[in-house]
């Protein structure tokens, strides 16, 4: 087994034991089950919302908290003296956090499609493109938080403080049609709002808005560059 494979195995076990990972999966699932029992099978709003919630929790809470904690404890610094370079840890963490997001969303889709008989889009390519673009944007923000936070506790707090206003503007806390028009419009141009809107378009069988896809791509690229500039290994 290669060094990277061993590192991935160890980190996967740690991630599986992390309470935050469990809550990342259970919170969106709880929302889906509680509210899904009262909606029609053709609903195209609730499931995209819960998918966006799941990815948002991983990107803004789980990812930055883990990386900032590793730096705080000197794990990244010590790795620089071993064959496992700090960059390898970063790549492994990004992959595992993506797996966590995929697991949470796969569970949501499975429960929605079987237990709740909810509408699930049949066009895989548009859904995959939107999902990957939205996830990249949210992970970029998480990386920037990890880069700037002094420790894991700070990263956790910043992630939570960012999540709730972004979730509100994105229409994940209050339905968009009940929000002031100007706030709803602004929310569509936030990374989480653009993600929710384009997912909802895919669910409704409409082509994703190219402008909003571009917005998510811009967030992903620009914020990732900022995170790379400010990221510290120790």
């Amino acid at each position: 087994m290669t060094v990277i494979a061993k590192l991935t195995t160890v980190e996967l076990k740690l991630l599986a034991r992390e309470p935050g990972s469990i809550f990342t999966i259970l919170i969106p699932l709880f929302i889906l089950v509680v509210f899904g029992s009262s909606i029609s099978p053709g609903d195209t709003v609730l499931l995209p919302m819960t998918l966006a919630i799941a990815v948002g929790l991983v990107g803004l809470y789980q990812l930055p908290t883990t990386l900032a904690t590793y730096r705080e404890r000197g794990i990244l610094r010590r790795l620089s003296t071993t064959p496992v370079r700090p960059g390898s840890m970063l790549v492994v963490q990004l992959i595992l956090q993506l797996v966590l997001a995929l697991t949470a969303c796969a569970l949501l889709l499975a429960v929605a499609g079987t237990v709740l008989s909810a509408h699930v889009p049949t066009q895989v390519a548009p859904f995959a493109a939107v999902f990957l673009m939205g996830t990249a944007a949210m992970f970029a923000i998480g990386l920037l938080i990890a880069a700037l936070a002094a420790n894991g506790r700070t990263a956790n707090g910043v992630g939570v403080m960012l999540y709730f206003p972004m979730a509100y503007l994105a229409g994940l806390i209050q339905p968009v049609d009940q929000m002031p028009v100007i706030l709803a419009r602004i929310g569509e141009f936030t990374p989480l709002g653009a993600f929710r809107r384009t997912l909802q378009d895919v669910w409704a069988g409409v082509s994703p808005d190219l402008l909003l896809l571009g917005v998510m791509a811009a967030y992903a690229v620009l914020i990732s560059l900022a995170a790379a500039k400010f990221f510290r290994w120790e």
Side-chain angles (χ1 to χ4, degrees):
M1 183 181 292
T2 66
V3 174
I4 297 298
K6 290 181 180 179
L7 176 63
T8 302
T9 302
V10 171
E11 289 300 311
L12 180 58
K13 291 179 180 178
L14 292 174
L15 183 64
R17 297 171 185 169
E18 171 62 40
S21 302
I22 299 173
F23 284 113
T24 297
I25 294 174
L26 293 183
I27 290 174
L29 183 61
F30 174 79
I31 294 172
L32 176 67
V33 172
V34 169
F35 293 98
S37 59
S38 61
I39 63 174
S40 65
D43 179 81
T44 60
V45 176
L46 181 60
L47 188 51
M49 286 175 58
T50 54
L51 293 176
I53 289 171
V55 173
L57 288 174
V58 175
L60 294 180
Y61 167 72
Q62 189 67 30
L63 174 61
T65 301
T66 300
L67 291 178
T69 300
Y70 278 15
R71 185 177 62 240
E72 176 189 2
R73 294 177 178 174
I75 294 174
L76 298 181
R77 174 177 53 78
R78 290 196 293 272
L79 283 176
S80 64
T81 63
T82 71
V84 184
R85 310 301 294 179
S88 300
M89 173 65 82
L90 178 59
V91 171
V92 168
Q93 277 298 322
L94 286 173
I95 293 173
L96 291 181
Q97 298 297 338
L98 176 59
V99 170
L100 176 61
L102 288 171
T103 301
C105 292
L107 183 58
L108 289 169
L109 289 170
V111 171
T114 56
V115 178
L116 302 177
S117 300
H119 167 70
V120 177
T122 56
Q123 296 183 336
V124 177
F127 170 72
V130 169
F131 181 84
L132 291 176
M133 199 71 72
T135 302
M138 300 312 301
F139 277 26
I141 299 173
L143 287 173
L144 183 58
I145 295 172
L148 298 176
N151 50 54
R153 184 178 301 176
T154 302
N156 189 339
V158 172
V160 170
M161 285 192 297
L162 281 178
Y163 177 80
F164 283 102
M166 287 180 63
Y168 173 76
L169 289 173
L172 302 181
I173 296 177
Q174 182 177 6
V176 176
D177 56 6
Q178 297 179 18
M179 294 171 57
V181 176
I182 184 64
L183 287 182
R185 186 58 177 165
I186 291 173
E188 289 186 354
F189 289 91
T190 64
L192 198 53
F195 187 33
R196 191 274 310 164
R197 168 64 190 278
T198 49
L199 276 176
Q200 191 170 325
D201 287 343
V202 171
W203 249 255
V206 179
S207 297
D209 190 317
L210 294 180
L211 175 60
L212 296 183
L213 288 176
V215 167
M216 289 189 290
Y219 277 118
V221 172
L222 296 177
I223 298 178
S224 292
L225 291 174
K229 179 179 180 179
F230 293 110
F231 198 86
R232 310 178 312 281
W233 297 114
E234 56 180 309

